[in-house]
Amino acid sequence: MKRILALIIVVLTVGGVVAVSHAADADSNNQLVWCGLDYSMVKMIGTADFRKPSEIFPDMLQTWNGLFMQEMLPKLEKISPSVVSDLNAVSARNGNTSTNQIIHEDGTRKEMVEASDITTNDLAKMVHGYDLKHSEGIGLVYVMDRLVKAQQTGCLYVVFFDISSRKILVVERMTNAAGGAGFRNYWFRPIKTATEKLPGLYKQAKTALAQK
Protein backbone atom coordinates (compact mmCIF):
# COMPACT_ATOMS: atom_id res chain seq x y z
CA MET A 1 0.00 0.00 0.00
CA LYS A 2 2.86 2.34 0.90
CA ARG A 3 4.53 1.60 -2.45
CA ILE A 4 1.29 2.44 -4.29
CA LEU A 5 0.94 5.73 -2.42
CA ALA A 6 4.56 6.58 -3.13
CA LEU A 7 4.03 5.87 -6.82
CA ILE A 8 0.96 8.12 -6.90
CA ILE A 9 2.92 10.95 -5.23
CA VAL A 10 5.74 10.61 -7.78
CA VAL A 11 3.32 10.67 -10.72
CA LEU A 12 1.52 13.73 -9.34
CA THR A 13 4.82 15.49 -8.74
CA VAL A 14 6.07 14.79 -12.25
CA GLY A 15 2.74 15.90 -13.67
CA GLY A 16 2.96 19.12 -11.69
CA VAL A 17 6.47 19.83 -12.97
CA VAL A 18 5.40 19.26 -16.55
CA ALA A 19 2.39 21.53 -16.10
CA VAL A 20 4.54 24.30 -14.63
CA SER A 21 7.08 23.91 -17.40
CA HIS A 22 4.39 24.22 -20.05
CA ALA A 23 2.95 27.27 -18.34
CA ALA A 24 6.38 28.89 -18.27
CA ASP A 25 6.83 28.15 -21.97
CA ALA A 26 3.44 29.66 -22.74
CA ASP A 27 4.28 32.79 -20.73
CA SER A 28 7.62 33.08 -22.50
CA ASN A 29 6.01 32.80 -25.92
CA ASN A 30 3.38 35.42 -25.12
CA GLN A 31 5.46 37.92 -23.18
CA LEU A 32 5.77 41.37 -24.71
CA VAL A 33 9.38 42.48 -25.16
CA TRP A 34 9.87 46.23 -25.47
CA CYS A 35 12.89 46.86 -27.70
CA GLY A 36 12.93 50.66 -27.67
CA LEU A 37 12.65 53.75 -29.86
CA ASP A 38 14.86 53.20 -32.91
CA TYR A 39 16.07 56.52 -34.37
CA SER A 40 18.66 55.00 -36.69
CA MET A 41 16.77 56.04 -39.84
CA VAL A 42 14.90 59.08 -38.57
CA LYS A 43 14.84 62.38 -40.44
CA MET A 44 14.36 65.58 -38.45
CA ILE A 45 12.91 68.10 -40.87
CA GLY A 46 12.37 71.84 -40.50
CA THR A 47 13.92 75.29 -40.68
CA ALA A 48 12.53 76.34 -37.28
CA ASP A 49 13.82 73.48 -35.13
CA PHE A 50 16.68 71.01 -34.64
CA ARG A 51 19.15 73.90 -34.31
CA LYS A 52 21.24 72.26 -31.59
CA PRO A 53 22.23 68.95 -33.17
CA SER A 54 24.97 68.26 -30.64
CA GLU A 55 22.28 68.11 -27.94
CA ILE A 56 20.13 65.73 -29.99
CA PHE A 57 22.58 63.03 -31.13
CA PRO A 58 22.75 60.82 -29.16
CA ASP A 59 21.78 62.37 -25.81
CA MET A 60 18.18 63.31 -26.60
CA LEU A 61 17.57 59.91 -28.20
CA GLN A 62 18.61 58.31 -24.91
CA THR A 63 16.41 60.76 -23.01
CA TRP A 64 13.35 59.86 -25.08
CA ASN A 65 14.00 56.15 -24.52
CA GLY A 66 14.35 56.75 -20.80
CA LEU A 67 11.15 58.77 -20.76
CA PHE A 68 9.32 55.90 -22.43
CA MET A 69 10.52 53.49 -19.76
CA GLN A 70 9.32 55.87 -17.07
CA GLU A 71 5.96 56.96 -18.49
CA MET A 72 4.88 54.49 -21.15
CA LEU A 73 6.07 51.09 -19.91
CA PRO A 74 3.26 50.99 -17.31
CA LYS A 75 0.81 51.36 -20.19
CA LEU A 76 2.34 48.31 -21.90
CA GLU A 77 1.87 46.38 -18.66
CA LYS A 78 -1.86 47.08 -18.90
CA ILE A 79 -2.17 45.35 -22.29
CA SER A 80 0.07 42.33 -21.64
CA PRO A 81 0.35 40.13 -18.53
CA SER A 82 4.11 39.83 -19.03
CA VAL A 83 6.30 42.75 -20.15
CA VAL A 84 10.10 42.91 -20.25
CA SER A 85 12.56 45.30 -21.87
CA ASP A 86 15.51 44.51 -24.14
CA LEU A 87 17.04 47.82 -25.21
CA ASN A 88 20.71 47.16 -25.97
CA ALA A 89 20.28 46.54 -29.70
CA VAL A 90 18.34 49.74 -30.32
CA SER A 91 20.64 51.73 -28.03
CA ALA A 92 23.60 50.60 -30.12
CA ARG A 93 21.87 51.66 -33.33
CA ASN A 94 20.94 55.03 -31.86
CA GLY A 95 24.58 55.52 -30.91
CA ASN A 96 25.49 55.46 -34.61
CA THR A 97 23.09 58.24 -35.63
CA SER A 98 24.46 61.57 -36.84
CA THR A 99 23.59 65.20 -37.47
CA ASN A 100 23.32 64.36 -41.18
CA GLN A 101 19.81 63.15 -40.37
CA ILE A 102 18.70 66.74 -39.84
CA ILE A 103 17.23 68.47 -42.90
CA HIS A 104 16.71 72.23 -42.61
CA GLU A 105 13.87 72.46 -45.11
CA ASP A 106 10.14 73.00 -45.04
CA GLY A 107 7.62 71.61 -47.47
CA THR A 108 4.08 70.42 -47.97
CA ARG A 109 2.45 67.71 -45.90
CA LYS A 110 2.54 65.43 -48.92
CA GLU A 111 6.27 65.95 -49.34
CA MET A 112 7.33 65.79 -45.72
CA VAL A 113 4.72 63.79 -43.80
CA GLU A 114 3.05 61.43 -46.23
CA ALA A 115 6.36 60.46 -47.82
CA SER A 116 8.66 57.91 -46.20
CA ASP A 117 12.12 56.60 -47.02
CA ILE A 118 11.66 53.49 -44.86
CA THR A 119 10.38 50.40 -46.66
CA THR A 120 8.95 47.15 -45.35
CA ASN A 121 12.23 45.51 -46.40
CA ASP A 122 14.12 48.02 -44.26
CA LEU A 123 11.96 47.15 -41.28
CA ALA A 124 12.45 43.42 -41.84
CA LYS A 125 16.25 43.86 -42.00
CA MET A 126 16.28 45.97 -38.86
CA VAL A 127 14.25 43.47 -36.85
CA HIS A 128 16.32 40.56 -38.14
CA GLY A 129 19.54 42.32 -37.15
CA TYR A 130 18.61 43.11 -33.54
CA ASP A 131 20.89 41.30 -31.09
CA LEU A 132 18.42 40.51 -28.30
CA LYS A 133 18.94 38.66 -25.04
CA HIS A 134 15.41 37.22 -25.24
CA SER A 135 14.82 34.37 -27.68
CA GLU A 136 11.03 34.14 -27.45
CA GLY A 137 8.02 36.42 -27.17
CA ILE A 138 6.44 39.24 -29.11
CA GLY A 139 8.89 42.03 -29.78
CA LEU A 140 7.75 45.63 -30.03
CA VAL A 141 9.81 48.48 -31.45
CA TYR A 142 8.95 51.99 -32.60
CA VAL A 143 11.00 52.81 -35.69
CA MET A 144 11.06 56.58 -35.82
CA ASP A 145 10.57 57.85 -39.36
CA ARG A 146 10.21 61.65 -39.51
CA LEU A 147 9.86 64.57 -37.13
CA VAL A 148 8.41 67.39 -39.24
CA LYS A 149 8.33 70.81 -37.62
CA ALA A 150 6.31 72.73 -40.25
CA GLN A 151 3.44 70.25 -39.94
CA GLN A 152 4.03 69.70 -36.19
CA THR A 153 3.93 65.95 -36.79
CA GLY A 154 5.91 62.91 -35.77
CA CYS A 155 5.87 59.84 -38.04
CA LEU A 156 6.80 56.39 -36.80
CA TYR A 157 6.37 52.72 -37.54
CA VAL A 158 4.91 50.56 -34.78
CA VAL A 159 6.35 47.09 -35.36
CA PHE A 160 5.35 43.87 -33.58
CA PHE A 161 7.46 40.83 -34.44
CA ASP A 162 8.00 37.23 -33.40
CA ILE A 163 11.35 37.17 -31.65
CA SER A 164 12.09 33.49 -32.34
CA SER A 165 11.61 33.73 -36.13
CA ARG A 166 12.04 37.53 -36.50
CA LYS A 167 8.94 37.56 -38.67
CA ILE A 168 7.01 40.82 -38.56
CA LEU A 169 3.51 40.19 -37.20
CA VAL A 170 1.98 43.66 -37.45
CA VAL A 171 3.31 46.98 -38.72
CA GLU A 172 1.53 50.32 -38.88
CA ARG A 173 2.86 53.74 -39.82
CA MET A 174 1.43 56.47 -37.63
CA THR A 175 1.47 60.24 -38.15
CA ASN A 176 0.70 61.87 -34.82
CA ALA A 177 0.61 65.49 -33.73
CA ALA A 178 3.55 66.88 -31.79
CA GLY A 179 3.05 69.25 -28.88
CA GLY A 180 4.04 70.19 -25.36
CA ALA A 181 6.44 72.46 -23.50
CA GLY A 182 10.07 72.14 -24.49
CA PHE A 183 11.87 70.19 -27.20
CA ARG A 184 11.83 66.90 -25.28
CA ASN A 185 8.09 66.87 -24.56
CA TYR A 186 7.13 68.35 -27.93
CA TRP A 187 8.61 65.46 -29.89
CA PHE A 188 7.64 62.83 -27.32
CA ARG A 189 3.93 63.55 -27.82
CA PRO A 190 3.64 61.47 -31.05
CA ILE A 191 5.12 58.52 -29.13
CA LYS A 192 2.59 58.87 -26.32
CA THR A 193 -0.24 58.96 -28.86
CA ALA A 194 1.07 55.84 -30.60
CA THR A 195 1.15 53.99 -27.28
CA GLU A 196 -2.51 54.82 -26.66
CA LYS A 197 -3.34 53.01 -29.92
CA LEU A 198 -1.44 49.82 -29.04
CA PRO A 199 -4.12 47.53 -27.51
CA GLY A 200 -5.82 46.73 -30.83
CA LEU A 201 -2.50 46.20 -32.63
CA TYR A 202 -1.25 43.93 -29.85
CA LYS A 203 -4.35 41.74 -30.23
CA GLN A 204 -3.65 41.51 -33.96
CA ALA A 205 -0.05 40.52 -33.23
CA LYS A 206 -1.12 37.78 -30.83
CA THR A 207 -3.56 36.44 -33.41
CA ALA A 208 -0.88 36.48 -36.12
CA LEU A 209 1.55 34.65 -33.82
CA ALA A 210 -1.03 32.00 -32.99
CA GLN A 211 -1.63 31.38 -36.70
CA LYS A 212 2.08 31.16 -37.50
Side-chain angles (χ1 to χ4, degrees):
M1 182 66 177
K2 290 182 179 179
R3 293 181 61 185
I4 294 174
L5 288 174
L7 181 59
I8 292 174
I9 291 171
V10 170
V11 170
L12 289 175
T13 302
V14 172
V17 171
V18 172
V20 170
S21 176
H22 285 174
D25 289 344
D27 288 343
S28 178
N29 287 333
N30 289 306
Q31 73 179 356
L32 181 60
V33 182
W34 169 243
C35 298
L37 308 171
D38 190 331
Y39 288 88
S40 60
M41 295 187 70
V42 74
K43 288 187 175 180
M44 300 184 179
I45 305 170
T47 58
D49 211 341
F50 316 116
R51 288 296 178 179
K52 297 180 179 179
S54 61
E55 297 179 6
I56 300 174
F57 298 97
D59 291 349
M60 187 56 67
L61 312 185
Q62 296 171 354
T63 296
W64 282 321
N65 268 282
L67 193 58
F68 189 99
M69 293 294 292
Q70 179 182 344
E71 295 187 2
M72 297 293 103
L73 200 66
K75 294 186 180 296
L76 298 188
E77 292 169 349
K78 290 182 179 180
I79 68 172
S80 173
S82 176
V83 179
V84 295
S85 60
D86 199 340
L87 305 177
N88 288 341
V90 164
S91 295
R93 290 178 64 89
N94 288 341
N96 292 323
T97 54
S98 75
T99 58
N100 293 331
Q101 293 170 240
I102 296 176
I103 302 173
H104 290 299
E105 297 178 5
D106 293 321
T108 66
R109 184 175 182 86
K110 183 176 181 179
E111 292 170 328
M112 300 304 183
V113 174
E114 296 177 12
S116 176
D117 296 310
I118 299 177
T119 67
T120 53
N121 284 337
D122 291 329
L123 296 174
K125 289 178 182 178
M126 292 168 72
V127 165
H128 185 76
Y130 287 154
D131 183 11
L132 301 174
K133 62 185 178 184
H134 291 88
S135 58
E136 294 180 325
I138 297 176
L140 170 62
V141 63
Y142 290 0
V143 178
M144 306 306 296
D145 183 7
R146 295 181 169 208
L147 308 183
V148 187
K149 180 60 177 180
Q151 277 74 40
Q152 302 178 35
T153 301
C155 311
L156 64 145
Y157 288 89
V158 175
V159 183
F160 286 95
F161 62 98
D162 173 28
I163 291 181
S164 63
S165 67
R166 299 305 173 95
K167 178 183 177 182
I168 291 179
L169 302 170
V170 174
V171 58
E172 181 169 323
R173 185 176 189 261
M174 297 187 182
T175 56
N176 299 328
F183 184 86
R184 184 199 74 165
N185 294 335
Y186 186 86
W187 291 114
F188 193 70
R189 175 73 64 80
I191 293 165
K192 294 176 68 173
T193 302
T195 306
E196 292 170 0
K197 301 175 182 178
L198 281 184
L201 296 177
Y202 176 62
K203 290 181 181 179
Q204 292 178 34
K206 287 186 66 176
T207 299
L209 181 61
Q211 295 174 345
K212 189 184 68 144

